[in-house]
Amino acid sequence: MHDDVSLTLGRVRRVLTERIRPAVHGPRLPMEVRAHRLPGEPVPPDQGLGLEHDPYEVGTPWGPAWSTTWFRLRGEIPQQWAGQPVEALIDLGFDVNMPGFQCEALVYLPDGTPVKSLNPRNQWVRVSDTAVGGEAVELHLEAAANPVLLDYHPFLPTQEGDVQTSSPKPLYTTRHMDLAVFHPEVFELASDLTVLLELVEQLPEGARRGRILTALDAALDRVDLQRIPETASAGRAELVEVLQAPASASAHTISAIGHAHIDSAWLWPVRETIRKVARTSSSMTELIDATDDFLYGMSSAQQYAWLKEHRPEVFARVKQAVQEGRFVPLGGMWVESDTTMPSGESLVRQFLHGQRFFESEFGIRCRGVWLPDSFGYSPALPQLMRRAGFEWFFTQKISWNQVNRFPHHSFDWEGIDGSRVFTHFPPMDTYNAQLSGEELARADRQFREHRTSTSSVAPTGWGDGGGGTTREMVAAARRVADLEGSPKVRWEHPDDFFSRARAELPEPPVWVGELYLELHRATLTSQHGTKRGNRRTEHLLVAAELWSTLAAVRTGADYPYEALETLWETVLLHQFHDILPGTSIAWVHREAVETYARVEDEARKIIDGALDMLAGSGTDHLVANAAPAPARLHGIELPADTLTAPGSSSAPAVELRRDGEDLLLENSLVRIRLDDAGHVVSAVELATGREAIVAGERANVLRLHQDFPNMWDAWDVDRFYRNTVEVIDGVDELTAEVDAAGAAVVTVTRSFGSSTVTQRLTLEPESRMLRIEQETDWHEAEKFLKAVFPLQVWATETIAETQFGVQRRPTHTNTSWEAAKFETSMHRFVLVEEEDFGVALVNDSIYGFDVTRDADGEVTTTVGLSLLRAPRFPDPETDQGLQHHCLGLVVGADVTSATVEASALNIPPVEIAGDAQTAARLGRPLAQVEGPAVLRSVVKLAADRSGDVVVRVYESAGRRSHAELTLDPALDAEAARAVSLLEEETDDVPELTVDSQAGRLSWPIRPFEVTTVRIPQA
Ligand SMILES: [Zn+2]
């Protein structure tokens, strides 16, 4: 016989698609359908179920973008179906090629019990396992007409991304809403054939492939295509032998976990995520009930909290399944956050709020951090994960790198402080696996640790919007559990996978430093209003905690636990990896900016209330400095964490004079020279005479680049943006004056394109920082705005602030790894320095920068701060309108002084009236921090509401040193303990030396170490 492989494969493909899969469901009967289209936003299910319905004819259009339609379906089971399984088959107008991105529905029984969801790849609802003839069926659908914003026309601007601009035209047309008999044996035959077909497509020539091909032909010979239900068993019998052949002894093992990566907002608003979570969780508990070994994992305490609040019936089912160990809470975080931009304190709260929720609701803690999709991972994370009690870390996003292939799949990841955490990337390169033959073979082929390690993870199910695992995937998993030629698959808790993988790798390879994603670099800049809101609220909430703690301990005031928790959880939600990065639809960012304004307002109210308590009544001028380092106001130094009555300044006013066309601004520390266009052409540190600006160059120059990436507009900036540049150096108006506080202020207005920009450059007395406040009325499309500083500094590396420390990156591009980092992240500053001189650029709301190394006789360093973009997808109006930035050029800076200046810029002093003596008594710090570069991160009351004070400090400069805390007598120094980030006793923390007489705690502190101390009140 001639061996024609393609003939057999073609036969199986056609018969499966055109005959066997359609025959899984037998005779059909249309249901009687009525519908109610809601005029506005969704309503709770109890209201939806009580709505009046109008007649609806299947096949007519329904659902303008973002609208909800409640369908009522009724039918009666025919007598001749009695005894058989019956399902409802509902096609809302799905496109099966796009699971997750379109219309969806949750199915309810008439009594309000949620059953499961309807998604493009999940269009059935079991009505009865053993039908009774004549039985009435009634189902209600809460159908959401979420528009398709990606895939048909990827990255084209669309108005459908906000309910305020979307079209009223219906988007979907139902195809059928039927009752049908379900044929289990045909379903099993389809699953057998699918798994063997996909396997044989991956197998090399050889005996195994031959056997399977023969079996496939034999099976199809036995199936009568006119009588498939009657002959399916005979077909399956021909496949038993090839399906029973066991996997080889060294087969790779794949640890599958059911999954549906549900973004907490993205191409849909937050309110839709609440429903997506309810839909997917209903389907997954249904699938858990229908199977023996399937496990489903869901991250994000926030998503469980939404269920609890909005869909308590679904939450009850989930809770039950969690208790049974089948529904697995993952990640221990409040949401799957971005990790490059949130502050250190925010990341701690992601863990604290996440783990506390899982503990209180389910009595469990997550052992690992689960972030499959965030856009790069901060090198501060390993320490924070370890200090929060986590044992492992999971992602896969680095497989999206444009250039470099990551060398490991299972490895130890080492952070800036030297902490290591065991990490796994699934070699399948997806968080939406279907367990197809191709995926299984790919995982086996690509896995980098085969020499010592036997297994990898596969998050299995439709994600990026929901849906989750299907019964087809469960059927495939059962067949590839132990199948010759295939990796072995088993449903497994990731904890079990990580324990095994760690044991197999006693000396895992080590990756040091950030996990930089060589893609999506523009997420550090897009949607500036969202980023600014994050930065402001992070600082205000820490200030609110500081003053509230002082007020609680010193005056007995109530600590606003509820309010602070709620505000933090709002900020944490918005750090989700499509909100803070600026990659959601217009609706999400419009709401985010409004929400941040509300959080700011409420945080300020808490701050004002606490300061009122601490200030007493009076008319003395008081200043509250909530920065963890001394700050200045009008030339007067203010101590850290203190409410004081400052004296008056004796510092001389800044000298402002003309020198030809130039302006000179000079105080006791620096002399700044501006040219006639308001650019910085010289900045000299007077003590050393060092010049910060490259001779003949201009700094603080605004550069406008064309910015039209090849795809992923809000996410990506491609390297070629640098090829086109327009320098914005025209001047509409320039004024200069010395203000009442003795500061020199130069204001410059420029216009370009359809936009204008005003910069206010201020040099204060006794300050080495030129402060630049910028207001941009931004009306550009597909442009990238940078503020550029050519610095006369021969820097081998940039030093950028990250959570609880700094990270260093080479300025050269020797290897493809460095070259790929042409846009990188920072927090509040980036510093470049030589042996004895450095220049820092500090900011109040910027996260991205680039650096170029220039050589013309000597090496200099040009830093470009990324201010604004104007991508048109998914939000066509990204960043349009008024935008604010504040930054500073610090001349003669090191890590410590840059941190101090950046802190003060981000949480400026607050001036109030009160009584100076009361303030002196009540407004001094509860815990005074000492140590060369040791800084307070937070002072708060413990989350368990015991009244204990929690003080978190960190070593900020990368120096091995000694930390010291001097405590107020109101605190019981003797009982102080170093604790975990979750504020609990643990072994993995330094031993404190206590001098109870002096109320002093001290301990050795490692470079970038974070220490949390918990102190009961005396
Ligand atoms: Zn995502």
Side-chain angles (χ1 to χ4, degrees):
M1 192 180 81
H2 298 284
D3 184 12
D4 193 336
V5 176
S6 63
L7 193 67
T8 302
L9 296 181
R11 180 187 186 192
V12 179
R13 285 187 201 117
R14 181 169 189 198
V15 171
L16 243 182
T17 313
E18 295 184 18
R19 296 301 162 88
I20 294 178
R21 285 195 189 121
V24 169
H25 290 94
R28 293 179 173 218
L29 195 65
M31 299 178 82
E32 183 245 338
V33 185
R34 294 174 71 87
H36 179 109
R37 195 198 132 192
L38 283 178
E41 285 292 277
V43 296
D46 55 339
Q47 281 179 42
L49 289 160
L51 294 167
E52 296 286 325
H53 300 94
D54 297 322
Y56 173 83
E57 197 176 330
V58 171
T60 51
W62 70 280
W66 307 116
S67 70
T68 299
T69 299
W70 281 84
F71 291 100
R72 192 198 69 192
L73 283 56
R74 281 182 174 164
E76 192 183 294
I77 294 177
Q79 293 297 341
Q80 61 270 32
W81 294 4
Q84 302 185 74
V86 172
E87 297 187 339
L89 290 181
I90 298 160
D91 186 341
L92 294 169
F94 295 123
D95 180 342
V96 294
N97 298 315
M98 278 188 302
F101 291 122
Q102 46 177 312
C103 62
E104 307 167 62
L106 182 53
V107 182
Y108 299 86
L109 298 179
D111 68 0
T113 307
V115 184
K116 70 183 281 287
S117 70
L118 298 171
N119 296 91
R121 302 285 184 107
N122 206 331
Q123 303 184 13
W124 57 273
V125 187
R126 182 60 63 97
V127 168
S128 175
D129 291 335
T130 322
V132 176
E135 198 171 28
V137 176
E138 180 174 324
L139 300 173
H140 293 253
L141 316 183
E142 181 189 9
N146 299 332
V148 173
L149 299 177
L150 199 60
D151 276 8
Y152 289 135
H153 307 288
F155 318 125
L156 281 187
T158 170
Q159 297 297 324
E160 300 284 30
D162 192 334
V163 72
Q164 295 184 347
T165 56
S166 60
S167 137
K169 197 172 105 261
L171 296 176
Y172 299 100
T173 302
T174 51
R175 296 197 186 91
H176 53 249
M177 296 183 169
D178 297 342
L179 289 175
V181 171
F182 176 76
H183 295 300
E185 196 62 5
V186 182
F187 176 83
E188 299 299 335
L189 174 64
S191 303
D192 289 349
L193 291 171
T194 302
V195 165
L196 289 170
L197 173 67
E198 291 178 353
L199 173 61
V200 87
E201 285 172 333
Q202 300 300 321
L203 287 176
E205 283 183 39
R208 176 63 171 156
R209 191 169 79 157
R211 299 275 145 70
I212 296 176
L213 289 168
T214 299
L216 287 169
D217 267 328
L220 294 190
D221 290 344
R222 299 290 299 276
V223 176
D224 179 341
L225 297 183
Q226 271 63 52
R227 295 172 56 251
I228 291 173
E230 292 82 355
T231 54
S233 291
R236 292 194 70 204
E238 297 293 337
L239 302 172
V240 168
E241 196 179 320
V242 286
L243 282 168
Q244 279 180 349
S248 71
S250 58
H252 185 62
T253 297
I254 287 175
S255 169
I257 176 78
H259 201 50
H261 179 73
I262 304 181
D263 295 288
S264 290
W266 180 29
L267 300 176
W268 52 86
V270 169
R271 69 93 159 137
E272 192 56 31
T273 316
I274 297 170
R275 300 200 298 175
K276 280 178 180 286
V277 174
R279 286 181 209 118
T280 299
S281 299
S282 302
S283 281
M284 293 304 97
T285 50
E286 194 271 350
L287 193 58
I288 284 170
D289 291 346
T291 52
D292 300 327
D293 57 349
F294 169 63
L295 297 182
Y296 178 73
M298 185 169 97
S299 72
S300 306
Q302 169 72 84
Q303 300 194 350
Y304 293 82
W306 279 331
L307 281 184
K308 188 181 176 197
E309 183 183 348
H310 298 282
R311 293 291 192 279
E313 321 76 20
V314 181
F315 186 67
R317 289 172 73 189
V318 167
K319 196 162 180 166
Q320 171 78 25
V322 171
Q323 246 94 63
E324 290 161 4
R326 305 282 301 279
F327 198 112
V328 181
L330 289 174
M333 295 177 78
W334 189 250
V335 296
E336 287 186 18
S337 79
D338 180 81
T339 72
T340 56
M341 292 179 275
S343 68
E345 207 45 49
S346 285
L347 288 184
V348 171
R349 304 310 170 94
Q350 290 284 358
F351 298 141
L352 180 72
H353 286 246
Q355 290 286 54
R356 284 183 65 82
F357 181 91
F358 292 133
E359 175 90 53
S360 70
E361 293 299 331
F362 308 129
I364 59 151
R365 291 273 175 95
C366 301
R367 283 167 52 195
V369 172
W370 180 271
L371 289 172
D373 193 33
S374 304
F375 309 146
Y377 302 91
S378 159
L381 269 178
Q383 175 179 208
L384 303 184
M385 292 191 267
R386 294 294 302 274
R387 288 267 154 114
F390 292 102
E391 296 162 25
W392 54 261
F393 175 58
F394 175 92
T395 181
Q396 66 80 45
K397 199 66 182 181
I398 304 303
S399 71
W400 287 42
N401 272 3
Q402 276 174 324
V403 181
N404 296 289
R405 188 167 160 211
F406 199 82
H408 318 296
H409 287 107
S410 294
F411 61 101
D412 261 352
W413 178 26
E414 181 181 305
I416 50 172
D417 73 312
S419 296
R420 291 181 180 178
V421 64
F422 187 61
T423 299
H424 178 70
F425 296 172
M428 206 179 273
D429 289 349
T430 180
Y431 50 79
N432 295 330
Q434 304 165 53
L435 301 181
S436 71
E438 191 279 325
E439 287 173 335
L440 298 176
R442 184 180 348 134
D444 187 17
R445 194 172 59 243
Q446 297 193 149
F447 187 55
R448 292 281 184 113
E449 272 70 42
H450 274 313
R451 285 187 182 217
T452 46
S453 197
T454 60
S455 49
S456 63
V457 172
T460 302
W462 297 113
D464 286 333
T469 319
T470 62
R471 63 182 174 190
E472 287 81 5
M473 296 171 194
V474 171
R478 200 179 312 128
R479 285 161 177 79
V480 292
D482 191 9
L483 182 64
E484 187 188 353
S486 169
K488 293 195 265 190
V489 173
R490 62 178 178 224
W491 298 108
E492 189 173 45
H493 194 304
D495 284 348
D496 297 329
F497 161 80
F498 274 93
S499 298
R500 189 175 62 249
R502 186 72 188 82
E504 286 175 348
L505 282 166
E507 289 180 39
V510 180
W511 179 268
V512 178
E514 71 182 316
L515 294 171
Y516 179 88
L517 177 62
E518 296 172 358
L519 197 75
H520 296 357
R521 301 165 179 92
T523 57
L524 300 170
T525 308
S526 298
Q527 297 286 4
H528 179 68
T530 300
K531 292 179 164 63
R532 188 174 178 80
N534 177 67
R535 185 72 73 76
R536 291 285 66 70
T537 52
E538 282 179 331
H539 281 81
L540 286 170
L541 288 178
V542 169
E545 289 176 327
L546 175 75
W547 302 127
S548 298
T549 306
L550 269 187
V553 174
R554 293 245 170 80
T555 75
D558 284 339
Y559 188 81
Y561 288 109
E562 298 278 346
L564 285 168
E565 278 176 17
T566 307
L567 294 174
W568 264 117
E569 283 168 8
T570 305
V571 171
L572 299 180
L573 165 62
H574 286 79
Q575 290 169 348
F576 174 72
H577 66 256
D578 281 306
I579 305 181
L580 182 53
T583 48
S584 287
I585 52 174
W587 190 348
V588 173
H589 291 288
R590 171 169 59 77
E591 289 190 337
V593 168
E594 291 163 10
T595 303
Y596 280 126
R598 184 175 52 73
V599 173
E600 271 194 47
D601 203 45
E602 288 177 26
R604 283 188 208 281
K605 276 188 200 138
I606 294 173
I607 291 170
D608 292 348
L611 286 176
D612 274 353
M613 308 280 295
L614 300 170
S617 52
T619 54
D620 296 332
H621 175 234
L622 305 179
V623 184
N625 176 24
R632 277 180 322 277
L633 185 71
H634 312 317
I636 308 163
E637 186 165 291
L638 307 164
D641 292 356
T642 308
L643 175 66
T644 46
S648 50
S649 170
S650 57
V654 175
E655 200 183 319
L656 172 71
R657 64 175 193 273
R658 289 214 168 267
D659 181 19
E661 296 287 294
D662 293 353
L663 277 170
L664 287 175
L665 290 65
E666 184 169 338
N667 63 16
S668 58
L669 299 173
V670 293
R671 181 172 59 241
I672 310 284
R673 177 182 288 269
L674 305 180
D675 67 9
D676 59 349
H679 293 120
V680 181
V681 290
S682 165
V684 175
E685 182 185 47
L686 296 176
T688 59
R690 278 294 305 253
E691 170 64 69
I693 310 298
V694 177
E697 296 285 342
R698 300 177 297 173
N700 182 36
V701 169
L702 295 175
R703 283 191 193 164
L704 194 63
H705 298 272
Q706 186 158 294
D707 178 19
F708 188 54
N710 289 354
M711 45 183 190
W712 298 108
D713 298 43
W715 292 253
D716 283 1
V717 57
D718 286 327
R719 187 202 296 269
F720 52 74
Y721 87 90
R722 288 181 172 174
N723 300 356
T724 52
V725 57
E726 176 189 343
V727 176
I728 300 168
D729 53 5
V731 178
D732 300 346
E733 196 183 350
L734 188 152
T735 61
E737 59 162 359
V738 175
D739 71 11
V745 183
V746 177
T747 308
V748 194
T749 304
R750 311 175 198 279
S751 40
F752 59 96
S754 308
S755 309
T756 54
V757 59
T758 300
Q759 281 191 336
R760 189 179 147 91
L761 287 67
T762 306
L763 182 65
E764 291 182 4
E766 315 267 303
S767 169
R768 52 178 66 248
M769 180 178 86
L770 178 70
R771 177 188 173 96
I772 303 166
E773 284 160 280
Q774 177 167 327
E775 189 174 275
T776 315
D777 193 10
W778 178 249
H779 297 280
E780 304 301 313
E782 289 152 0
K783 292 284 196 297
F784 195 3
L785 183 68
K786 291 225 169 204
V788 178
F789 295 81
L791 302 173
Q792 187 169 288
V793 177
W794 184 326
T796 55
E797 55 196 8
T798 58
I799 303 168
E801 191 188 30
T802 182
Q803 295 92 356
F804 301 120
V806 297
Q807 60 175 324
R808 294 165 182 268
R809 302 181 181 97
T811 55
H812 65 71
T813 50
N814 285 3
T815 73
S816 58
W817 292 88
E818 280 97 27
K821 295 183 184 178
F822 60 83
E823 179 79 12
T824 53
S825 66
M826 64 176 162
H827 281 199
R828 300 172 301 181
F829 68 82
V830 55
L831 167 72
V832 291
E833 61 181 4
E834 296 176 5
E835 182 67 30
D836 55 355
F837 181 73
V839 179
L841 291 158
V842 299
N843 73 81
D844 78 339
S845 54
I846 303 169
Y847 292 97
F849 74 97
D850 74 287
V851 65
T852 44
R853 186 182 168 100
D854 309 300
D856 182 16
E858 62 169 326
V859 174
T860 59
T861 309
T862 298
V863 179
L865 304 181
S866 305
L867 303 183
L868 291 171
R869 295 184 73 230
R872 300 188 62 222
F873 181 88
D875 175 2
E877 299 290 319
T878 306
D879 284 342
Q880 302 300 299
L882 272 188
Q883 301 289 353
H884 305 270
H885 297 82
C886 187
L887 52 114
L889 170 72
V890 187
V891 182
D894 59 14
V895 170
T896 302
S897 63
T899 310
V900 168
E901 295 287 355
S903 300
L905 192 75
N906 277 273
I907 188 75
V910 175
E911 297 176 82
I912 58 169
D915 174 51
Q917 284 186 343
T918 309
R921 190 160 47 83
L922 303 178
R924 43 181 224 293
L926 280 174
Q928 200 112 30
V929 185
E930 309 272 347
V934 181
L935 288 175
R936 179 274 295 166
S937 173
V938 78
V939 174
K940 64 191 275 285
L941 291 193
D944 64 7
R945 304 194 180 185
S946 60
D948 289 0
V949 172
V950 170
V951 180
R952 185 163 18 256
V953 304
Y954 68 105
E955 200 292 316
S956 62
R959 278 180 227 148
R960 195 179 295 281
S961 65
H962 218 76
E964 240 177 55
L965 267 189
T966 306
L967 301 178
D968 188 271
L971 304 182
D972 181 0
E974 193 66 46
R977 296 280 179 278
V979 291
S980 72
L981 294 177
L982 305 185
E983 306 172 2
E984 295 166 334
E985 302 255 351
T986 170
D987 297 335
D988 185 25
V989 287
E991 189 83 23
L992 304 181
T993 305
V994 183
D995 175 349
S996 45
Q997 210 69 27
R1000 191 171 301 130
L1001 314 175
S1002 60
W1003 67 96
I1005 193 163
R1006 291 197 316 260
F1008 304 123
E1009 184 172 9
V1010 181
T1011 311
T1012 308
V1013 180
R1014 183 178 175 128
I1015 318 141
Q1017 296 187 40

